[in-house]
Structure formats: structure tokens, C-alpha cells
Amino acid sequence: MTSAPARIILICSGKGGVGKTTLTANLGIALARLGERTVVLDADFGLRNLDLLLGLENRIVYTAQEVLAETCRLEQALVKHKQEPNLSLLPAGNPRMLEWLTPEDMQRIVGMVAERADYVLIDCPAGIEEGFKNAAAASREAIVITTPEVSAVRDADRVIGLLNTRGVSPVQLVLNRVRPRMMASQEMLSVEDVTDILALPLVGLVVEDEQVIVSTNRGEPLTLVDNGSPAARAYQNIARRLRGEDVPLEDPSKARKGLRARLMNRIRRTTGLF
Amino acid sequence: MTLFDFIQRLLGRQKPSGTRAKERLQLVLAHDRSDLNPELLDQMRREILEVVQRYVEIDLEEGDVSLETEDRVTALVANLPIKRARPLPALVNAAAAAAPPRKSPADASAPSSDSESSPGQGEEASPSG
């Protein structure tokens, strides 16, 4: 194949539960639907969940560890998504396995995968220990995802520092679980607050959306079903921005432009009501 | 938001929590990024004040040595209002005490504003990862 080298993107956050795996699954599907050959790699083999979000939990037979041990071929370990064949999942390992992968193992397996993909998305484990170091060792660029909460932003800052010292670049930011009303009444860190503090370019804003839970229950990422929910659109826009498309970012806490809306925002800011 | 919070805010007694969140984060990140724990920072603050006080009288109430952070660069910022310069003999003694083998820099030009308080401020910045 004579295409450009694959983009190898780490998806990380430091703190757990901020939406790494959901972003990986949705971004993977969105990129695949745009025609990119995409592989999502679950680097968290102790507590793997990417298979569950993609609805592929019953189809995993082999993992990266068998590929590295040469007990199976890479094609056997890659689980192709039924509805979206441009997307494959590769779990790093089996939860029962005791020995850890090394950074070199991770680089080898990602190198193999990258030969047959346009995008490799690595779903990083929470924390900044071995799992993070392994995943970061194999990545060229990164997306840090955080929520507008003090603990998530603090942990994201630690991770950004570590990525900078490792020379991972570019590092871009996704702000997840944005609540426009709370932001408008200044009862939540604003979009500017977070981008000021972390000093990263913003590649996506995802509003809090109940549809994310529904889609997780079904194992069908939002970007797959295309129901036009706000989060689905946000994930699709991130995919388009990654490919270099100029998709404007709109701060949802300032989105309503009418006179009445502006007045309401004003009242909200001064009183904190509504 | 509770009614109590609402009244507090109407009276201007309470900042919105988002603003508090940003202030708290900036402070904690300045420490995280510099890898200095509060005790070490306090020790450094005391030692800096000690050194500065050998040369000038500073207003300890107003003085402030802290870490500030902007665009991922952390800086040590000292804001020390100077009451007045130390009289010359004290300066010589201090210098001699600090560096005994060297000759006393008695000729060094020292501002001799005795009664007037000069509200100068020193800034010291050292970027760190």
C-alpha cells in the first residue's frame, strides 16, 4: 500500500471516567465512515471496555499478546466491525494475563497495525503509570480529554506535562460533558478557563448528552446510528477536524444569540438563577 | 443553587463556584508543575526574604513570594515593597557575613534614601517545565 504513514493518536485523560473510551469508539466509527481505515487499540487490558462500547465483546478471540508471541497472525486478532468494515478493534491483552506488555511490545504491535491503517487510535488506561507509559511510547500525537471539573483538569495537566517531555506532538484537547447552562451561570469552569489553564488547542467540545448512555447500553456508538444527537455531531466534527477540515467550534454556553437569550444569559450570570 | 447561595450572590458576598474552581486550580497547578510542596515553598520564601532583608527593609505585611503560572510556564514571583535601604554599615556587615574572604564592597553605590519610603518592587522569574 502506498499511502501516507498512519496517524497514531493516543487518547488519554489521566483521570478515569471522563470519556476516553467513549471518544475512542465514536471517533473510530466516525473516521471509518469518512473512508479512513481505522484501528482502535484498547491499551487497557486489565480493565478493557472498548469491545463493549463497540458491541464487539463476543467476537474477541486473540489479542496483541498472541500476535507478539506469534501464536496467531495479526489479521486473526483484528476484530472487524460488522456495520463499519473500515474499523477494526485490537485488544492489547487478556484480563487474565499476568505479565505486562513493555513499551517495546507496544511499539512493535502499533508498528504492525500502522502498516495497514490510516488512523490508529490508542485508548489509554487511566493513571500515569505503566499502562500510560506503554501506550504513550507507541504514540506520535495525542488527544487529551477532560471535563470542566477541577479533578479532571488537574489530572489532564499532569498528563500533558508527561506527553510534552516525551515529545508527543501535537497534543489537542477535547472538553467533554459540557453543561451550557451551568457554564452560562458561571457555576462551572468555562471553555476558556480550561483552555487557558491547559494551554492546548481545542479540537472538540462535547455537551452532556443522555444519548451517550443509551448508545453505550446498546453497544452502538452514537456516530454509527446517526440520530443527530448533539454528542454525535460533536464526535463527527472532531473526526473532520483531525482530517484537516475547518469546522468552526461553537461554545454552547454562548450559542444562543437572540436578544431574549442574551438577556437571559445576563440574568443567569448575575443571579445564578434558571 | 440554594436560596442561601442565591441571596449571598445577590449581595455580592459569594463568587460563582466556577470562578473559585479556576482560582483553586491555578494555585494547585502552579505547585504541581514546579514539584514544590508547600513546606519547601515556605522555606524558600523565608530564605529569600532573609537575603533581601540584608539589603533593604521590606514591608513583611505586604510582601508576597508565590508561584504563578501562565501558558504552562510557572514563574516565581516576588512582590516586596521596599520601605528603605539599609544604612551603609549594616550593608557592609551583611556582605562581609555572607562572603567573608572577599573584600568589602563598601564603594558599591547604595541608594541613601533614609526617611523616604520607596515603593519599589522586585520581580524574579524562573521558567520551569
Side-chain angles (χ1 to χ4, degrees):
Chain A
M1 272 168 259
T2 56
S3 49
R7 304 259 307 261
I8 303 169
I9 308 175
L10 181 71
I11 307 218
C12 57
S13 65
K15 187 176 179 295
V18 297
K20 285 182 294 295
T21 308
T22 308
L23 175 65
T24 311
N26 279 287
L27 197 53
I29 295 274
L31 284 167
R33 293 188 67 166
L34 291 166
E36 307 283 7
R37 295 165 305 157
T38 307
V39 175
V40 287
L41 186 112
D42 194 343
D44 192 347
F45 62 87
L47 299 164
R48 67 182 194 201
N49 275 321
L50 190 53
D51 52 349
L52 205 50
L53 294 205
L54 286 166
L56 299 174
E57 66 273 22
N58 295 323
R59 296 184 42 210
I60 292 172
V61 183
Y62 300 109
T63 70
Q65 289 193 325
E66 283 91 19
V67 180
L68 287 167
E70 295 181 6
T71 52
C72 80
R73 284 174 294 113
L74 179 59
E75 301 84 72
Q76 291 174 293
L78 286 170
V79 184
K80 199 171 260 187
H81 197 275
K82 265 175 280 178
Q83 287 119 295
E84 202 41 68
N86 271 336
L87 182 82
S88 305
L89 165 73
L90 179 65
N94 190 308
R96 288 184 301 275
M97 284 186 171
L98 290 177
E99 73 266 46
W100 285 81
L101 290 166
T102 65
E104 292 73 35
D105 288 336
M106 208 63 174
Q107 282 166 341
R108 256 180 70 206
I109 196 77
V110 170
M112 289 166 76
V113 169
E115 277 173 31
R116 61 185 66 217
D118 301 311
Y119 282 84
V120 181
L121 306 180
I122 304 178
D123 185 17
C124 185
I128 50 174
E129 294 83 30
E130 295 310 308
F132 167 78
K133 286 175 190 158
N134 287 347
S139 308
R140 293 213 190 101
E141 49 186 301
I143 294 177
V144 173
I145 178 166
T146 190
T147 61
E149 290 159 285
V150 284
S151 49
V153 174
R154 183 192 198 177
D155 293 358
D157 188 78
R158 279 299 295 279
V159 162
I160 294 163
L162 293 172
L163 292 172
N164 285 346
T165 55
R166 286 165 169 270
V168 176
S169 169
V171 180
Q172 301 182 87
L173 185 71
V174 167
L175 189 55
N176 198 20
R177 303 227 181 99
V178 168
R179 293 166 178 251
R181 284 191 157 198
M182 286 193 79
M183 275 189 184
S185 64
Q186 292 181 309
E187 294 295 349
M188 184 171 240
L189 286 165
S190 72
V191 177
E192 291 92 54
D193 287 346
V194 178
T195 51
D196 278 359
I197 288 171
L198 297 179
L200 286 188
L202 199 59
V203 70
L205 278 174
V206 187
V207 291
E208 174 98 11
D209 185 346
E210 290 179 357
Q211 288 302 312
V212 172
I213 297 172
V214 175
S215 76
T216 309
N217 293 342
R218 298 209 168 104
E220 294 167 354
L222 281 176
T223 44
L224 187 68
V225 288
D226 219 352
N227 63 359
S229 75
R233 253 180 292 130
Y235 291 126
Q236 280 155 358
N237 285 342
I238 296 168
R240 290 165 60 194
R241 288 186 198 108
L242 275 182
R243 294 174 84 227
E245 260 184 75
D246 183 23
V247 187
L249 262 161
E250 201 173 73
D251 185 342
S253 63
K254 295 173 183 159
R256 297 163 66 193
K257 297 230 166 53
L259 184 64
R260 200 171 139 252
R262 280 213 306 264
L263 191 68
M264 285 300 284
N265 272 343
R266 186 79 175 263
I267 294 169
R268 233 176 250 145
R269 256 199 300 282
T270 45
T271 65
L273 273 186
F274 316 115
Chain B
M1 169 174 288
T2 63
L3 183 64
F4 180 73
D5 286 341
F6 170 63
I7 294 167
Q8 291 280 313
R9 217 162 130 178
L10 265 191
L11 296 172
R13 281 190 197 151
Q14 197 180 48
K15 282 182 196 166
S17 69
T19 314
R20 278 289 290 144
K22 187 178 187 186
E23 291 166 358
R24 291 178 60 220
L25 256 174
Q26 279 173 324
L27 197 66
V28 77
L29 288 184
H31 288 269
D32 285 357
R33 287 170 181 173
S34 65
D35 256 338
L36 275 177
N37 61 42
E39 284 115 88
L40 265 176
L41 185 70
D42 200 51
Q43 190 185 333
M44 181 170 72
R45 178 184 292 130
R46 266 183 280 122
E47 285 179 21
I48 288 172
L49 289 179
E50 230 171 77
V51 171
V52 175
Q53 271 188 307
R54 275 192 224 139
Y55 295 88
V56 286
E57 243 177 74
I58 47 182
D59 190 342
L60 285 176
E61 302 287 291
E62 298 290 312
D64 179 37
V65 178
S66 61
L67 292 172
E68 282 176 20
T69 170
E70 203 171 297
D71 270 350
R72 301 200 64 77
V73 177
T74 302
L76 176 69
V77 178
N79 191 338
L80 307 171
I82 296 170
K83 278 188 185 159
R84 65 176 141 202
R86 291 260 180 231
L88 222 55
L91 244 180
V92 175
N93 288 343
R102 261 198 275 146
K103 295 226 166 84
S104 61
D107 299 335
S109 59
S112 56
S113 60
D114 27 32
S115 60
E116 230 177 33
S117 68
S118 53
Q121 55 178 27
E123 271 206 341
E124 215 175 297
S126 69
S128 75

